[in-house]
Amino acid sequence: MSDLLRLFEPERVAVVGATPREGSVGRGVMENLSGFDGEVVGVNPNYDEVLGRRCYDTVDDVPDRIDLAVVVVPPDAVVEVVDHLGELGVENVVVVTAGFSEAGGEGAERERALVETAREYSLSLVGPNCLGVASTPSNLNATFGPSSPLEGSISFMSQSGAFVTAAVDWANDAGVGFRHVVSLGNKAVLDETDFVEAWGEDEGTNVIVGYLEGIDDGGEFIEKARRVTRETPVVVVKSGRTEAGARAVSSHTGTLAGSERAYEAAFRKAGVVRAENVEELFDYARALDSLPLPDEDGVAVVTNAGGPGVMATDALGESSLSLAEFEDATYDALDDALPDGASFYNPVDVLGDAPVNRFEDAVEAVNDDPNVGACIVIACPTATFEFDALAEALAEVQDPDVPLLAVLMGGEATRSARDILSENDIPTYFDPSRAVRSLDALAGYRRTKERDHGEVRDFNVDREKARGILEDAGDDGRLGVEAMPLLEAYGIPTPRGEVVDDPEDAERVARETEGDVVMKIVSPDILHKSDIGGVKVGVSDDGVRDAFEDLVSRARSYQPDAELLGVQVQETVDTDAGVETIVGANRDPQFGPLVMFGLGGVFVEVFEDTSFGVAPVTDTEAREMVDGIDASPILRGARGREPVDVEAVVETVERISALVTDFPEILELDINPLVASPDGVSAIDLRLTVDTEEL
Amino acid sequence: MSDLLRLFEPERVAVVGATPREGSVGRGVMENLSGFDGEVVGVNPNYDEVLGRRCYDTVDDVPDRIDLAVVVVPPDAVVEVVDHLGELGVENVVVVTAGFSEAGGEGAERERALVETAREYSLSLVGPNCLGVASTPSNLNATFGPSSPLEGSISFMSQSGAFVTAAVDWANDAGVGFRHVVSLGNKAVLDETDFVEAWGEDEGTNVIVGYLEGIDDGGEFIEKARRVTRETPVVVVKSGRTEAGARAVSSHTGTLAGSERAYEAAFRKAGVVRAENVEELFDYARALDSLPLPDEDGVAVVTNAGGPGVMATDALGESSLSLAEFEDATYDALDDALPDGASFYNPVDVLGDAPVNRFEDAVEAVNDDPNVGACIVIACPTATFEFDALAEALAEVQDPDVPLLAVLMGGEATRSARDILSENDIPTYFDPSRAVRSLDALAGYRRTKERDHGEVRDFNVDREKARGILEDAGDDGRLGVEAMPLLEAYGIPTPRGEVVDDPEDAERVARETEGDVVMKIVSPDILHKSDIGGVKVGVSDDGVRDAFEDLVSRARSYQPDAELLGVQVQETVDTDAGVETIVGANRDPQFGPLVMFGLGGVFVEVFEDTSFGVAPVTDTEAREMVDGIDASPILRGARGREPVDVEAVVETVERISALVTDFPEILELDINPLVASPDGVSAIDLRLTVDTEEL
């Protein structure tokens, strides 16, 4: 068992700062602890007793071992208290008190001291600036919130304390229970990753749910969450767009790679189910908590009304699921069970006059069909329909392997039926589309579980050569085509070519190259070479000398102070025969190196049709990135063209991932274009920025 | 007043087929009519009295005028009863009985007779095969549903009777009221357009809500709804994808123009607010019913918790709205009203310990700001917070011109506050994103109201010439480049060129044309000319003769039985200097001619980046179509290119709209490509299909 789980299983809780004062946090926590199965003591020199519990002057005076200390003393007393607790051997501490880093200045200083103290004693410390923690198996409510959660198997963490109170109040009303609840507060010591990991090992936790505004250590989160989501679903609302990496503005495609894309890529990599809003968060959590996973994407809909059946069908059409096609035996069974006029085809319409047993028969028939992965029952009120009886019947006929969801389209008439279904782990909805979306989340999680993450391939690369090239970057850290050998060092094909200093060398390179050459001015100060006539294509051997002089003189007249590194003389690549792609990378403040893929030109600039992966990407992930853009059919040979060598594109993504993983000092990198043709890929142009201080 | 509104205001209702038999529809209707403010009589020869109401043998025996007859007799008796009613001068009839066109065969025959009878007497006839009608001002519930609606100002129609029962039961629970309710049934006589029109003239109807599976007369619906939505919002869930026009499969872009796109375009044209699902339908309807329209897109968020404020901000980022930027005076007012630590910036955080008056002060301050179009208040439970007091305070401070929405993030703790707010026309939500989406629908409707639809421009065209060209189509109705003069007749520029029969003519055309020419084989049987080498570009005057022979011989050897219409000799258009667009049209079974616009090549084929308009499109609509594709920045000069002549593109869309409006016998038409350059447009290739029987 994870040590952290002990936080939720104390036998004795001490509230440091307990007080009977009305409206105080200290009183709120003591009140909420009144139902705790274990022992509760207060610590406050001003009282001998608080709300009927013994109260001690200091933590040292508490005679028995404290398993969990809840600290609600004023901010400037917190560090000393925590230090005492550490000395005493207390392992689990929740600091509710606010006035730390969220308050800035002095508070930030205080938080640093708190972290230091916690580290010294290896404390499991929640907060500061939080609502507290709760754990329903022992009726532990060590929060100052207004209500206590019901017992359940969803463990819930939130970076917003207010959202804990909101969610618990709502969940109590909706009959949704929790196992452990944590208000993360400032996450000075324990953060989302710690709880994902711990709850992943907790037998009693079926689903991990989180409201997060940011993730502290992106890499560690991915690593841990990825392991947990193999067995336990993690559903997260990630709210608030963080400052898109401030440094990631200069390079072109970099500007598209905001931090939001990083979170998206990270959650995908980690197998985390992402919810867009609160409604989805709990819809998905409830479905994942109570239902088996569907083993087929085909869904049977059984309804007593055509219209709502169509609504469900529409929603299925917008999901990753579909209406199941039944086997003959199922049609036969439905034919036996249903009267004339009923529809045996999916959606199965049992008709408006259907009594409960007709629903029962239909559900049993479709559940037996191997093409049916899940069943949605829709019932509309009629003058005679008995929702309660339907609820009881569905509880009877539900198949432990086929998720069953109930859409009860009504209000008051459906209330007690909802309770019956909920007690029998059948989630209920009013809107058919919400049932479908929840089921879609279930199917998505099944795919996550089944997914082969692939492996990070180990390429034969020349790190020393690469380091030497990166070290050549000037003070501003910018490198251009002169760094093309970097790509060669990482096994990415580039056209034959060189950056040369004088016309003679240019002629030599041109002679050694078959056909005409492309010549480009090379300068870190000239970003848009074409705009100043800094690029010449189709230069023959005879024209190389003149072209060299011309390029240099144009550059000098355009920007006299520009540093000229020379002229690139490059083999002509037939771009018409291929597809221009872009492979890039930038560095995200939370998740480190992020690899980007897209098609060149308007595809990235106008459609923003790009995909992202957190490095190091596996072979599977690189393939998913290449397949994941909307324009990917173009690579696969849309419009009658020959498909390009997609494997080579995928491998380039992996090799760039390897490069930026090996050299985190690469802040941004763009190969634009990487021309992909049926015969392979060729990196035509390169731009990158290096953090020279880190090198 | 619309005659149709009398349907909802009867003084005397006769139920033809009334019966006391338990579980019968006739009894159900009689029971529901028990609360009716007017008089109710039954008609059934077997009874003198049904549920305490006088019952007559036949309709002729009813001594007083019948304002509304509800017919629940067996199907084969319906037509005779309705005929009697017509003879008697009854104007309003609801046929509840099923067994008509929905049952096929005999039922369809019966429905035809019913329609004929209704027409003979100009009856306002609802149904058949429906749940009935209800109208709350007079407590009229002439349905056999299980519950009666509450009074309100939303008028509601549904093509699904079951959805009426579902919605009413749900609405009663949620405190949502209705004015008129109609179950449309088979829509044999009265359909959605009739009720949209009538309710548009009804003073008591604030919002028209519909659940529709199809629209019968698309053109009429658009015309009527467009007028109504100027004053009264219409919110619709259109469910069920109709059979994409079966004929619209042959031409290339036509395959993208499914009927769903037609509905989308039609609702936009008509100003109808489209909801995707039931939840949105009622969220939008409630907001439109109770709130003023926001006159700015800036939204103020006032919250007692940071996290939920961020959730609202995220949702605003995904909407057409934004966080309002406050004026200095607002910051000053907030500074006065709020304590240290509160955030004056939007979202305004009044802090977790905020008493109700702090919310009040903040709402008043932001409502006074001219940049604030709407205000969302978010409250999370705290140990001491009083939701009821907040509700009462908000009811006090709400500004009649600034919509106020309340997000109460809790369950039981918020229940009575929800009722208070609801009574004061302040809609409440649990999830901040639902509040934002509802507000977004309000803002969308404001834009609809304000929108200048533009005008259908009248172009100087040569209809006779066009008719002549269309009549040249063969039996299969297909025409190709030989029909280019059709475009000329409608003022759409085409490259200089002709379709010729012999090499001499080809040489003549080439000589008359500046520069090299493009030559293409012309045959209705050869669809993909390039594939068989049927296209030659850059043909000089000298090469024309050989090219002609070569094209013809290739065509003959490729497809000996192909009908050859000749060879097109065309001026070379520099497509590189422009952008390839596609302007097309097809004919939708509900909405008639539909015009399509997109960029050529992968944009349409891979991204399906197209826009649609129902013809005749106005100048404004044509411009919206051109601006409405994702790729439109390419036309406007993305990537440093010169912008194309967008006006000429827009005008081409309008001219094609005029062409297909004038000639509805054009089933499909594609100009692909229409090359748009800075100097104008040029239609390079054309394909169309004509319904030769209609010509």
Side-chain angles (χ1 to χ4, degrees):
Chain A
M1 189 181 88
S2 158
D3 286 355
L4 187 48
L5 290 177
R6 290 210 292 267
L7 181 65
F8 302 101
E9 296 169 359
E11 289 179 7
R12 189 170 303 105
V13 179
V15 180
V16 188
T19 155
R21 191 162 40 83
E22 283 290 344
S24 70
V25 169
R27 185 190 172 103
V29 175
M30 288 299 284
E31 281 176 348
N32 281 335
L33 282 169
S34 63
F36 177 48
D37 295 348
E39 191 183 332
V40 178
V41 300
V43 176
N44 188 335
N46 301 322
Y47 303 98
D48 292 333
E49 200 186 281
V50 171
L51 304 181
R53 308 282 189 174
R54 179 74 193 272
C55 191
Y56 299 92
D57 287 355
T58 71
V59 293
D60 306 292
D61 298 332
V62 179
D64 300 301
R65 179 187 168 81
I66 299 170
D67 301 310
L68 171 65
V70 183
V71 178
V72 296
V73 299
D76 49 14
V78 167
V79 176
E80 199 188 328
V81 162
V82 172
D83 189 68
H84 270 175
L85 290 166
E87 260 181 50
L88 271 177
V90 176
E91 290 171 357
N92 303 299
V93 178
V94 176
V95 179
V96 169
T97 309
F100 288 79
S101 62
E102 87 285 1
E106 205 183 324
E109 187 50 53
R110 201 177 279 142
E111 188 159 313
R112 274 190 291 276
L114 179 65
V115 171
E116 213 169 279
T117 308
R119 294 247 164 86
E120 190 184 335
Y121 299 107
S122 302
L123 298 180
S124 288
L125 186 144
V126 176
N129 182 29
C130 77
L131 189 82
V133 302
S135 181
T136 56
S138 61
N139 294 308
L140 172 74
N141 180 355
T143 76
F144 65 96
S147 40
S148 290
L150 301 177
E151 193 161 351
S153 40
I154 297 173
S155 287
F156 170 45
M157 68 180 104
S158 170
Q159 210 170 331
S160 159
F163 186 56
V164 173
T165 66
V168 169
D169 193 52
W170 168 85
N172 288 351
D173 200 38
V176 173
F178 295 105
R179 182 168 165 85
H180 303 318
V181 176
V182 171
S183 163
L184 293 168
N186 292 0
K187 306 193 292 191
V189 176
L190 292 175
D191 65 16
E192 53 284 337
T193 304
D194 299 303
F195 291 103
V196 165
E197 190 184 17
W199 289 340
E201 292 174 26
D202 178 32
E203 290 265 319
T205 294
N206 279 354
V207 185
I208 299 169
V209 168
Y211 167 76
L212 301 177
E213 295 180 353
I215 285 176
D216 285 348
D217 182 335
E220 201 200 349
F221 177 84
I222 292 173
E223 191 199 319
K224 300 280 171 62
R226 189 172 192 154
R227 213 170 302 145
V228 168
T229 55
R230 284 284 182 202
E231 292 301 330
T232 309
V234 176
V235 190
V236 163
V237 164
K238 158 67 184 62
S239 148
R241 316 294 181 231
T242 65
E243 289 298 334
R247 285 181 284 193
V249 286
S250 55
S251 130
H252 182 70
T253 49
T255 57
L256 300 178
S259 214
E260 181 50 26
R261 309 297 294 261
Y263 276 103
E264 198 64 48
F267 287 143
R268 199 171 50 244
K269 190 174 182 112
V272 167
V273 179
R274 192 169 183 183
E276 291 297 318
N277 51 50
V278 175
E279 190 171 281
E280 283 184 6
L281 185 69
F282 288 107
D283 275 358
Y284 297 175
R286 277 199 280 184
L288 286 161
D289 183 32
S290 56
L291 295 174
L293 297 180
D295 52 15
E296 295 289 331
D297 288 337
V299 179
V301 176
V302 176
T303 176
N304 69 348
V310 180
M311 295 177 196
T313 307
D314 277 349
L316 284 169
E318 285 157 8
S319 76
S320 72
L321 306 167
S322 56
L323 276 180
E325 282 200 30
F326 299 144
E327 303 215 317
D328 287 346
T330 307
Y331 291 119
D332 292 344
L334 289 168
D335 195 6
D336 287 347
L338 303 180
D340 280 355
S343 170
F344 312 158
Y345 296 93
N346 202 0
V348 178
D349 188 344
V350 297
L351 299 183
D353 64 350
V356 163
N357 71 327
R358 213 187 282 162
F359 271 101
E360 252 181 295
D361 292 345
V363 170
E364 283 187 315
V366 300
N367 274 355
D368 284 345
D369 193 300
N371 301 328
V372 171
C375 180
I376 297 178
V377 169
I378 304 177
C380 287
T382 65
T384 55
F385 192 72
E386 289 173 10
F387 281 101
D388 286 4
L390 175 72
E392 276 153 19
L394 292 180
E396 280 297 311
V397 297
Q398 69 175 316
D399 183 318
D401 297 323
V402 182
L404 178 64
L405 300 87
V407 177
L408 305 186
M409 296 194 76
E412 183 58 34
T414 66
R415 188 149 302 148
S416 55
R418 285 178 198 279
D419 292 341
I420 296 168
L421 288 165
S422 180
E423 281 157 24
N424 285 282
D425 284 341
I426 299 173
T428 64
Y429 309 84
F430 171 69
D431 184 337
S433 72
R434 265 175 83 176
V436 170
R437 285 202 302 275
S438 299
L439 189 53
D440 202 20
L442 273 190
Y445 177 62
R446 184 206 68 219
R447 284 188 284 268
T448 293
K449 274 181 84 120
E450 287 171 354
R451 182 175 179 236
D452 175 6
H453 290 305
E455 56 171 344
V456 177
R457 286 201 278 176
D458 196 12
F459 296 105
N460 186 13
V461 298
D462 187 343
R463 282 191 191 79
E464 278 321 297
K465 181 178 167 189
R467 177 171 302 281
I469 295 160
L470 294 174
E471 282 169 354
D472 279 349
D475 288 348
D476 65 355
R478 296 218 297 240
L479 287 164
V481 286
E482 71 277 13
M484 292 289 270
L486 181 66
L487 301 181
E488 288 155 22
Y490 270 72
I492 296 166
T494 57
R496 194 187 162 81
E498 267 180 48
V499 176
V500 297
D501 284 336
D502 56 56
E504 288 73 29
D505 269 356
E507 285 189 314
R508 174 185 53 75
V509 177
R511 273 196 311 273
E512 290 166 10
T513 308
E514 205 176 318
D516 293 347
V517 293
V518 178
M519 293 175 66
K520 292 179 198 163
I521 197 76
V522 180
S523 163
D525 304 317
I526 301 174
L527 286 183
H528 298 285
K529 298 185 271 266
S530 324
D531 294 354
I532 61 147
V535 179
K536 288 181 180 283
V537 300
V539 184
S540 66
D541 289 4
D542 296 345
V544 167
R545 178 173 287 266
D546 284 353
F548 185 98
E549 304 291 2
D550 191 36
L551 286 170
V552 171
S553 79
R554 275 174 196 247
R556 290 223 188 288
S557 67
Y558 165 73
Q559 202 170 318
D561 58 345
E563 184 194 3
L564 297 188
L565 299 179
V567 169
Q568 187 195 37
V569 182
Q570 198 182 51
E571 169 191 4
T572 301
V573 174
D574 181 8
T575 54
D576 284 350
V579 176
E580 292 194 11
T581 70
I582 302 179
V583 179
N586 67 10
R587 198 165 70 170
D588 184 83
Q590 268 81 45
F591 295 98
L594 203 64
V595 185
M596 184 277 252
F597 176 72
L599 293 204
V602 293
F603 296 100
V604 165
E605 290 176 37
V606 176
F607 289 96
E608 300 190 5
D609 180 21
T610 50
S611 58
F612 289 81
V614 177
V617 300
T618 67
D619 47 0
T620 307
E621 289 166 349
R623 183 162 291 106
E624 286 169 353
M625 283 176 65
V626 172
D627 290 342
I629 59 171
D630 292 339
S632 74
I634 295 171
L635 299 172
R636 304 262 174 206
R639 312 198 75 213
R641 292 180 67 149
E642 199 179 338
V644 309
D645 182 352
V646 173
E647 290 309 305
V649 178
V650 170
E651 191 175 315
T652 304
V653 171
E654 291 177 75
R655 287 178 181 271
I656 286 297
S657 162
L659 173 64
V660 296
T661 304
D662 289 347
F663 295 98
E665 43 276 76
I666 297 177
L667 299 177
E668 294 175 345
L669 179 150
D670 278 312
I671 305 178
N672 182 5
L674 176 86
V675 174
S677 73
D679 305 320
V681 294
S682 184
I684 308 293
D685 205 348
L686 173 68
R687 237 188 257 177
L688 68 157
T689 310
V690 180
D691 183 341
T692 50
E693 287 182 12
E694 276 198 32
L695 257 175
Chain B
M1 189 180 90
S2 158
D3 286 355
L4 187 49
L5 290 178
R6 290 209 292 267
L7 181 65
F8 302 102
E9 295 169 1
E11 289 179 9
R12 189 169 303 102
V13 178
V15 180
V16 189
T19 157
R21 188 163 41 84
E22 283 289 345
S24 70
V25 169
R27 184 189 173 104
V29 175
M30 288 300 283
E31 280 177 346
N32 281 335
L33 281 168
S34 63
F36 176 48
D37 295 347
E39 194 183 327
V40 178
V41 300
V43 176
N44 188 336
N46 302 324
Y47 304 98
D48 293 333
E49 198 188 282
V50 171
L51 304 182
R53 309 280 188 174
R54 179 74 193 273
C55 194
Y56 299 93
D57 286 355
T58 72
V59 293
D60 307 291
D61 300 330
V62 179
D64 301 300
R65 177 188 170 80
I66 299 170
D67 302 309
L68 171 66
V70 183
V71 179
V72 295
V73 299
D76 48 16
V78 167
V79 175
E80 199 188 330
V81 162
V82 172
D83 190 66
H84 271 174
L85 290 166
E87 259 180 52
L88 270 178
V90 175
E91 291 170 355
N92 303 298
V93 179
V94 175
V95 179
V96 169
T97 309
F100 289 80
S101 62
E102 86 284 1
E106 204 183 324
E109 188 51 55
R110 198 177 283 142
E111 188 157 315
R112 274 190 290 275
L114 178 65
V115 170
E116 214 169 277
T117 309
R119 292 247 164 87
E120 189 184 335
Y121 301 105
S122 302
L123 297 180
S124 288
L125 185 143
V126 176
N129 182 28
C130 76
L131 188 81
V133 302
S135 180
T136 56
S138 61
N139 295 308
L140 172 75
N141 181 354
T143 75
F144 65 97
S147 40
S148 291
L150 301 177
E151 193 162 352
S153 41
I154 297 172
S155 286
F156 170 46
M157 68 179 104
S158 171
Q159 211 170 330
S160 158
F163 185 57
V164 172
T165 66
V168 169
D169 192 53
W170 168 85
N172 287 352
D173 200 38
V176 173
F178 295 105
R179 182 169 165 84
H180 303 317
V181 176
V182 170
S183 164
L184 293 169
N186 291 1
K187 306 193 292 190
V189 177
L190 293 173
D191 65 15
E192 53 285 335
T193 303
D194 299 301
F195 290 104
V196 164
E197 191 184 16
W199 289 340
E201 292 174 24
D202 178 32
E203 290 265 318
T205 293
N206 279 354
V207 185
I208 298 169
V209 169
Y211 167 76
L212 301 177
E213 295 179 354
I215 284 176
D216 284 349
D217 181 336
E220 201 200 353
F221 177 83
I222 291 174
E223 191 198 319
K224 300 278 171 64
R226 189 172 191 155
R227 214 172 299 145
V228 167
T229 56
R230 283 285 183 200
E231 293 300 330
T232 308
V234 177
V235 191
V236 163
V237 164
K238 158 66 183 66
S239 147
R241 317 290 179 234
T242 66
E243 288 298 334
R247 285 182 284 192
V249 287
S250 56
S251 129
H252 182 69
T253 51
T255 56
L256 302 177
S259 216
E260 180 52 24
R261 308 297 294 258
Y263 275 103
E264 198 65 46
F267 286 143
R268 200 170 48 244
K269 191 175 181 112
V272 167
V273 179
R274 190 167 186 185
E276 291 297 316
N277 50 50
V278 175
E279 188 171 282
E280 283 185 5
L281 185 69
F282 288 106
D283 275 357
Y284 297 175
R286 276 200 280 184
L288 287 160
D289 184 31
S290 57
L291 295 175
L293 297 180
D295 51 16
E296 295 289 332
D297 288 338
V299 178
V301 177
V302 176
T303 176
N304 69 349
V310 180
M311 295 177 195
T313 308
D314 277 349
L316 283 170
E318 285 156 8
S319 77
S320 71
L321 306 167
S322 57
L323 274 181
E325 281 202 28
F326 298 144
E327 303 216 316
D328 287 346
T330 308
Y331 290 119
D332 292 345
L334 290 168
D335 194 5
D336 286 348
L338 303 181
D340 281 356
S343 169
F344 312 158
Y345 295 94
N346 202 358
V348 178
D349 188 344
V350 298
L351 300 182
D353 64 349
V356 163
N357 71 326
R358 214 187 282 162
F359 272 100
E360 255 180 294
D361 294 343
V363 170
E364 283 188 314
V366 300
N367 274 355
D368 284 344
D369 193 301
N371 301 327
V372 170
C375 179
I376 296 176
V377 170
I378 304 175
C380 287
T382 65
T384 56
F385 192 72
E386 290 174 8
F387 281 100
D388 285 4
L390 175 71
E392 277 153 18
L394 292 180
E396 281 296 311
V397 297
Q398 68 175 317
D399 184 319
D401 298 324
V402 182
L404 178 64
L405 301 88
V407 177
L408 305 186
M409 297 193 76
E412 184 57 35
T414 67
R415 188 151 300 150
S416 54
R418 285 178 197 279
D419 292 342
I420 296 168
L421 288 166
S422 180
E423 282 158 24
N424 285 281
D425 284 342
I426 298 173
T428 64
Y429 308 85
F430 171 69
D431 184 336
S433 72
R434 266 176 81 175
V436 170
R437 285 201 302 272
S438 299
L439 190 54
D440 203 20
L442 273 191
Y445 177 62
R446 184 205 68 219
R447 284 187 283 268
T448 293
K449 271 181 87 117
E450 288 171 354
R451 183 173 178 239
D452 175 6
H453 289 307
E455 55 171 347
V456 177
R457 287 201 277 177
D458 195 14
F459 297 106
N460 186 13
V461 299
D462 187 343
R463 283 191 189 77
E464 280 320 296
K465 181 176 167 188
R467 177 170 303 280
I469 296 161
L470 294 175
E471 282 169 354
D472 280 348
D475 288 346
D476 64 355
R478 293 219 297 240
L479 288 164
V481 286
E482 71 277 12
M484 292 290 269
L486 180 67
L487 301 180
E488 287 154 23
Y490 269 71
I492 295 166
T494 56
R496 197 188 157 80
E498 268 179 47
V499 177
V500 297
D501 284 337
D502 56 55
E504 288 72 28
D505 269 354
E507 284 189 314
R508 174 184 56 75
V509 177
R511 272 195 311 273
E512 289 167 8
T513 307
E514 207 178 316
D516 293 347
V517 292
V518 179
M519 295 175 66
K520 294 179 197 164
I521 197 76
V522 181
S523 163
D525 304 316
I526 301 174
L527 286 182
H528 297 283
K529 299 185 270 267
S530 324
D531 294 354
I532 61 144
V535 180
K536 287 182 182 279
V537 300
V539 184
S540 66
D541 289 2
D542 297 345
V544 168
R545 177 173 288 267
D546 285 354
F548 185 98
E549 305 291 5
D550 191 37
L551 286 171
V552 171
S553 78
R554 277 172 194 246
R556 291 222 188 288
S557 67
Y558 165 74
Q559 201 169 319
D561 58 345
E563 183 193 5
L564 295 189
L565 299 179
V567 169
Q568 185 194 37
V569 182
Q570 198 182 51
E571 169 192 4
T572 301
V573 173
D574 180 8
T575 54
D576 284 350
V579 177
E580 291 193 13
T581 71
I582 302 179
V583 179
N586 67 13
R587 199 164 70 169
D588 184 83
Q590 268 81 45
F591 295 97
L594 203 64
V595 186
M596 183 277 249
F597 176 73
L599 293 204
V602 292
F603 296 100
V604 165
E605 290 177 37
V606 176
F607 289 96
E608 299 190 6
D609 179 22
T610 51
S611 57
F612 290 81
V614 177
V617 301
T618 67
D619 47 1
T620 307
E621 290 166 351
R623 182 161 293 107
E624 286 169 354
M625 283 176 65
V626 173
D627 290 342
I629 59 170
D630 293 338
S632 73
I634 294 171
L635 299 172
R636 304 262 174 205
R639 310 198 79 214
R641 291 180 67 146
E642 199 179 338
V644 309
D645 182 352
V646 173
E647 289 310 304
V649 177
V650 170
E651 192 175 314
T652 304
V653 171
E654 290 177 75
R655 287 178 180 272
I656 286 298
S657 162
L659 173 64
V660 295
T661 303
D662 289 347
F663 296 98
E665 43 277 75
I666 297 177
L667 298 177
E668 294 177 342
L669 179 150
D670 276 311
I671 305 178
N672 182 5
L674 175 86
V675 174
S677 74
D679 304 321
V681 295
S682 186
I684 307 294
D685 205 349
L686 174 69
R687 238 188 257 175
L688 68 159
T689 311
V690 180
D691 184 341
T692 50
E693 288 182 13
E694 277 198 33
L695 255 177

